[in-house]
Amino acid sequence: MEQPMQERFRTREPAQFTIGEMMERAKAEIGAITDLPVLSVIRSGRSTDGGWTVELELLESAARMGDNDLLAAYEIHFDSFGEMSGINRLGRYHREDAGAR
């Protein structure tokens, strides 16, 4: 009887990403879900499970006067392999209120 190939049982290794790569990946993922423009990366870093969390600020609705734009913060979660594992909209606010966020 033949022995199974060792490679069939090998587990996938976690991917090694830089923080910049994960920020770009988060922008691409949110772009695939919504057509809203990304204004900025609010924060980015490793999560406790070895994955990544990136928080983005998006323009949900432009106003005639820029201070009245409606913005939203989204938190994108990635596992240790760089695959998106979750997304949360943290809140909506007017641009003029962003400093209080």
Side-chain angles (χ1 to χ4, degrees), residues 28-48:
E29 290 288 350
I30 199 78
I33 295 168
T34 178
D35 60 352
L36 302 175
V38 176
L39 299 178
S40 63
V41 175
I42 299 171
R43 87 177 43 95
S44 179
R46 288 263 187 201
S47 49
T48 56

Side-chain angles (χ1 to χ4, degrees), residues 20-38 41 54 56 58 76 78 82 84 87:
E21 289 170 330
M22 291 313 298
M23 290 179 349
E24 290 303 314
R25 194 174 190 99
K27 290 178 192 178
E29 290 288 350
I30 199 78
I33 295 168
T34 178
D35 60 352
L36 302 175
V38 176
V41 175
V54 181
L56 302 172
L58 281 69
I76 315 295
F78 296 93
M84 189 173 79
I87 182 171

Side-chain angles (χ1 to χ4, degrees), residues 4-10:
M5 293 176 35
Q6 290 288 349
E7 292 159 16
R8 283 183 65 185
F9 299 107
R10 188 176 299 167

Side-chain angles (χ1 to χ4, degrees), residues 57-97:
E57 184 175 64
L58 281 69
L59 176 64
E60 283 207 344
S61 178
R64 282 188 185 161
M65 299 173 68
D67 288 351
N68 231 6
D69 289 343
L70 185 58
L71 310 180
Y74 285 83
E75 186 176 69
I76 315 295
H77 301 277
F78 296 93
D79 64 18
S80 60
F81 301 105
E83 299 295 324
M84 189 173 79
S85 60
I87 182 171
N88 298 317
R89 185 169 74 174
L90 301 175
R92 295 170 68 180
Y93 48 92
H94 287 100
R95 186 183 297 272
E96 62 191 10
D97 300 329

